[in-house]
Every structure is written in C-alpha cells, then in structure tokens.
Amino acid sequence: RERADAAEVAAEAANDELDAMRAREEQWQEQIEEAVAARLQAERRSAGAADRIAAAMSMYEEVAGKVAVAERQREEETHRREQETLRAQLAEDHAKTAKQTASHAERLRSDAEAKAGQAA
C-alpha cells in the first residue's frame, strides 16, 4: 500500500511537472507568435517605407529631368537671343557702311560733275 501511495504521489508530481511544462510551452508559443507578428509588421512597415522611398526617388528624378530640360531650353533661348542681337548689330553695321558708301559715291559723282562742268 505504501508503494502504491508513493507511486501515486510520484505520478501526481510528474503530472504537476508536466502541467507546468505545458504552461511554459504555451507561454513560449504565445511569445513566438507575438515575435512573428511583430516581425511581419516590421517587414510590412519596411516594405512600405521602401515603396515611399522609391516613389520619392522617382519623383525627384522626374523633377530633375524637368529642371535639366528647362535649363537646356533657357540656354538655347539665351544663345538664340545672343545670335539675334549679333545679327541685328551686324545688319546695323552693314546699313551704316552702305549709307557711308552711298554718301561717298554721291560726293564722287558730284565732284565728277563739277569737274566735267569746268572742263566744258
């Protein structure tokens, strides 16, 4: 009878220990599930941040492209205006030269007529 009582006490102790181990296992399982959920949430946040970074970089590249195009157009417009100014100055110089040439030719003609009148 004592052996049976001792065996029963040992069995109860083993059952208590088993229950305690199961309780610890359940706690560990909950902690694992919480850790997995936290990791998944962190990965989703990271993916969202990566998507936002990619979108921001894409917008930056688009704006940088537009700025480059605008700068090139501004340089082309500046060059065109400079060329127009040079052409206008050249045309003005040609007009002055033509006027001076015409004036000189008129003086020569007038001198020639005067000499012809004196010779006659």
Side-chain angles (χ1 to χ4, degrees):
R1 174 84 182 136
E2 286 180 21
R3 288 178 78 193
D5 287 342
E8 191 175 321
V9 169
E12 285 180 20
N15 282 336
D16 289 345
E17 188 176 335
L18 182 60
D19 288 343
M21 291 174 85
R22 285 184 180 145
R24 282 195 303 269
E25 181 185 9
E26 286 177 15
Q27 287 178 342
W28 292 341
Q29 186 63 34
E30 287 175 10
Q31 290 174 349
I32 289 170
E33 289 172 2
E34 289 173 3
V36 167
R39 180 173 179 173
L40 289 174
Q41 186 177 13
E43 287 176 358
R44 280 193 298 272
R45 286 182 182 160
S46 177
D51 290 345
R52 288 189 299 277
I53 289 169
M57 289 179 66
S58 177
M59 287 174 37
Y60 170 78
E61 289 171 355
E62 182 180 338
V63 168
K66 288 179 181 179
V67 167
V69 167
E71 178 65 19
R72 189 174 59 251
Q73 288 174 343
R74 186 191 64 79
E75 288 174 358
E76 289 171 356
E77 181 65 19
T78 299
H79 180 72
R80 186 187 61 77
R81 286 183 184 164
E82 289 171 351
Q83 292 299 314
E84 286 177 1
T85 299
L86 290 173
R87 278 194 286 276
Q89 287 174 346
L90 187 59
E92 187 178 318
D93 290 347
H94 284 312
K96 285 180 184 177
T97 301
K99 186 176 180 180
Q100 289 171 351
T101 300
S103 177
H104 184 66
E106 180 61 29
R107 271 187 268 126
L108 290 174
R109 187 189 61 77
S110 178
D111 290 347
E113 284 177 358
K115 287 182 183 178
Q118 288 175 353

